[in-house]
Amino acid sequence: MSIGELLQIKRRFAVTRAADAELASHLPELRLPRMRDAARTAFRAILDYELPLGNGSLVDFLALAEARGFCAHPSDWVPAPGSAQYAALYQPWVDWLSDNGVTPFHEGNRLTAANWARWKPKRRVRAFEDLLRRDRQAAYDLLVSLGPSEPTAVRLELLSTIDRGAWPRDSLPSQVRLLKHFLADRSAKVRAVAESKLKALIGVETEGARQTLDQLAQARGVTPLDMAQQSDLTELGDDFIRLVVEIGDVEIRSVVASRLLDINESSDSIPMALFEGVARPLWERGLRATFRSNYWHSVGDFLGPDRGTLTAPQMSHWGPYKHWTSSVTAELETGELPVNKMYDPLRILGLVVDKDTAREILHQAVALGMKETHPRLTMLKFNLAL
């Protein structure tokens, strides 16, 4: 691709945030096939209806498509720089666009030794901080291999990201290790800052060896399973729940998840990660708890790869399903759309129901008097087209 062609592609992409035929031909194939024509038509209608996109409003539609086995077509949509409106599925596009100069390196890219020099300084610091949170060993390795060759100002900026308040408590040993690395820096200023930060950790460094569930149970003279079954979960608090989430023992997570469901009416205070891999009856209990959540989108988040599978009997007591007909009749009578498109019951349902239920809701809405071309039905049409 010549410089002139690249500049033209950059200009077009900056305006449309979609790939023209030329750019689309260069983008790598993703692990899923692209949407079929009918779904693409509905997807473009969604883009038109929901523009300007905000608050991650596109994430749910992309997640439904992924659950049904499809990705977006790049001629309809490509992730914008710094956007949070895409899943890991689209990372190859994000990286290709930056690697090839169509977009600057941004928060959506992964910081590596190969692209280190191509970042703008402030964005690189943010990317390094993100890498610290996501993969501390990779961040440390990157710092050791590239840090010494960088100017003092850059090393000071990287040092500034190592701050106890911004890290989880179990990361303290990693922080100490990173700070000790800076104690051997060639700059006295860098060494002084590192030493100061290390002194601030005196007395809390040992907290870094945070108790595992096994250690916590052993200190109480019981097994982890006994602790999960018998302890007062309210008294143990969030730290204990986090330890349970982190372990791979499905039996212990199942016990804790079941007990938390006995205590809580909704899922708002129960980590969804507890339900990964649990038996289906318990998973369904967790799903029913999301129906009582104050956040309608919790249902889709809980479903994950099972988006687009809910049936009418499953949803009988869920707010969006109970109230979608009244929202349609209210609009027909008053002409007023739902105040917030994001919480339109038809939109919410279109994102999670199976095709039979989507078809039934669409038919009922038209029977109530809604025009079949009404944009509020686009979400259901998208569901049916996937």
Side-chain angles (χ1 to χ4, degrees), residues 27-41:
L27 287 171
E29 293 293 327
L30 304 181
R31 62 176 173 79
L32 294 178
R34 295 169 180 177
M35 295 177 195
R36 296 170 293 213
D37 288 345
R40 288 185 62 193
T41 299

Side-chain angles (χ1 to χ4, degrees), residues 148-168:
S149 64
E150 293 298 307
T152 298
V154 172
R155 299 200 305 282
L156 283 171
E157 285 183 326
L158 297 179
L159 182 56
S160 72
T161 66
I162 304 171
D163 180 78
R164 179 173 182 256
W167 287 39

Side-chain angles (χ1 to χ4, degrees), residues 4 130 134 163 186-187 194 213-214 244 267 273 295 301 348 353:
D130 180 62
R134 187 165 31 87
D163 180 78
R186 64 180 183 272
S187 165
L213 188 61
D214 285 339
V244 173
S267 64
Y295 308 99
D301 292 339
I348 298 294
V353 300

Side-chain angles (χ1 to χ4, degrees), residues 4 61 112 118 133 222 267 293 316 319 347 356 359:
F61 295 104
T112 67
R118 300 183 63 185
R133 295 192 193 97
V222 297
S267 64
S293 170
S316 58
R347 180 188 192 278
D356 288 339
R359 188 177 295 107

Side-chain angles (χ1 to χ4, degrees), residues 213-215 217-218 222-229 240 247 252:
L213 188 61
D214 285 339
Q215 292 169 335
Q218 186 176 14
V222 297
T223 67
L225 182 58
D226 288 337
M227 192 171 181
Q229 292 171 329
F240 172 73
I247 66 171
I252 292 176

Side-chain angles (χ1 to χ4, degrees), residues 158-196:
L158 297 179
L159 182 56
S160 72
T161 66
I162 304 171
D163 180 78
R164 179 173 182 256
W167 287 39
R169 193 171 64 185
D170 66 341
S171 70
L172 287 172
S174 298
Q175 292 182 62
V176 170
R177 185 183 179 206
L178 286 166
L179 290 170
K180 286 181 176 178
H181 171 82
F182 282 110
L183 289 179
D185 195 271
R186 64 180 183 272
S187 165
K189 188 172 184 179
V190 172
R191 295 196 300 270
V193 173
E195 186 175 0
S196 175

